[in-house]
Amino acid sequence: MNMDPLTYSYEVQNIVKSSHQLDTCISKTELIDYISKLAKIDVMDMYIDQYKDNVTSLVIYEAIAQAFKFHLERVPVLTTEKIGAFEIPPLTDLETCNSLPSQVILDLYLAHHNHHVTGDEVRTMINHYFGMNLVGIDGLGKTRISLYSKGQWLVKDDQDLFVIHTGTKDVDVKIYCTDYFTARTGSKNIPTELQQSLAGLGYSYNAQVNAYYYSNPSGLTVSNAFKGKTIDAIIELTHVLYKSI
């Protein structure tokens, strides 16, 4: 689980330097380290704010790629239900469109709002249509939990202890230990205390995937509340048992 060195585009570097009134002589290494310590949602907001009344789907893609290091364009659409005053026109066919389904929704949403949106509004829309809680993902960086979802790593660090791995449509979830956890503890198994907490949520050990596994019986995407309970169960254990590793 080696991490690539963090980097940010020159555009983002200049945006942060200007927004935070940093010394113009700051080195690139110092600046990248500075940006990496900012909240990801703040970096996203600064990027979107630069485009004011001309926010496009490509701006949102780049804002998320720069701040979170993953690609929204690869994420499947989970619902087409309306959000607030916006709804997808009934004749829109996401299956046969030439553009990416996510871009179609983004373009329609942005046009509805005259291309003037805030980062917070974009995050609410993304959570609704794509099941991605960007505020929650931002917070995972301090929990020692890696998150693999929508076919890509959303959060990952060399010293994370456990992995939450969701399927493409977020219908199923599996939990397993990282190589770092095994190297430091000598165990490849999830601790008994966590096994019990996960069992209480409906997880059970699945030998085929060698992980604690849950699949929503309804066949629908697991709720944000369920994801939150899973994360909380892991955090509670790591705080008690693994502070020193």
Side-chain angles (χ1 to χ4, degrees):
M1 297 204 3
N2 292 326
M3 292 290 291
D4 294 330
L6 273 177
T7 187
Y8 300 91
S9 69
Y10 287 117
E11 182 183 17
V12 168
Q13 293 177 43
N14 289 330
I15 287 170
V16 173
K17 274 200 292 190
S18 175
S19 297
H20 285 226
Q21 299 181 325
L22 299 179
D23 189 331
T24 55
C25 295
I26 187 172
S27 72
K28 180 179 178 180
T29 300
E30 290 172 326
L31 179 56
I32 287 176
D33 182 62
Y34 182 90
I35 299 172
S36 71
K37 293 174 181 175
L38 298 174
K40 293 178 175 63
I41 59 172
D42 289 344
V43 176
M44 175 181 173
D45 285 353
M46 280 185 275
Y47 191 92
I48 288 174
D49 287 347
Q50 292 297 303
Y51 289 84
K52 301 185 183 301
D53 296 326
N54 191 32
V55 180
T56 66
S57 55
L58 296 182
V59 167
I60 293 175
Y61 282 154
E62 187 64 15
I64 291 173
Q66 289 293 323
F68 289 87
K69 307 304 180 188
F70 69 80
H71 301 282
L72 181 65
E73 58 267 39
R74 300 179 189 171
V75 176
V77 177
L78 297 184
T79 181
T80 55
E81 295 179 3
K82 69 178 294 185
I83 178 174
F86 169 71
E87 61 182 330
I88 299 169
L91 297 180
T92 304
D93 190 342
L94 297 176
E95 299 297 327
T96 61
C97 61
N98 293 325
S99 302
L100 293 164
S102 62
Q103 187 172 357
V104 173
I105 289 181
L106 289 174
D107 286 341
L108 289 169
Y109 175 83
L110 293 169
H112 176 80
H113 291 282
N114 298 313
H115 297 271
H116 178 78
V117 292
T118 65
D120 188 56
E121 289 168 335
V122 170
R123 285 188 289 276
T124 299
M125 181 270 292
I126 287 172
N127 195 18
H128 177 78
Y129 285 110
F130 309 104
M132 304 192 76
N133 180 350
L134 295 181
V135 175
I137 290 170
D138 193 2
L140 274 181
K142 303 180 180 73
T143 62
R144 307 190 74 184
I145 298 171
S146 291
L147 175 63
Y148 186 89
S149 183
K150 315 297 194 298
Q152 56 191 314
W153 288 105
L154 305 186
V155 180
K156 187 174 71 166
D157 185 86
D158 284 343
Q159 295 186 1
D160 285 342
L161 301 176
F162 302 102
V163 175
I164 298 176
H165 187 296
T166 70
T168 303
K169 295 282 189 178
D170 280 2
V171 174
D172 59 335
V173 188
K174 59 183 179 181
I175 314 293
Y176 55 90
C177 306
T178 65
D179 292 341
Y180 177 82
F181 176 88
T182 298
R184 292 302 301 270
T185 67
S187 174
K188 295 182 179 180
N189 300 319
I190 285 179
T192 302
E193 296 90 338
L194 182 54
Q195 292 179 23
Q196 293 169 346
S197 296
L198 293 175
L201 294 174
Y203 287 86
S204 60
Y205 179 71
N206 184 315
Q208 287 186 321
V209 297
N210 192 27
Y212 265 71
Y213 180 80
Y214 175 85
S215 181
N216 195 346
S218 69
L220 300 175
T221 299
V222 295
S223 68
N224 281 337
F226 180 83
K227 295 174 188 175
K229 289 177 182 178
T230 298
I231 291 167
D232 288 345
I234 299 174
I235 291 173
E236 183 177 354
L237 178 96
T238 55
H239 281 179
V240 172
L241 297 181
Y242 301 114
K243 276 186 176 181
S244 62
I245 70 169

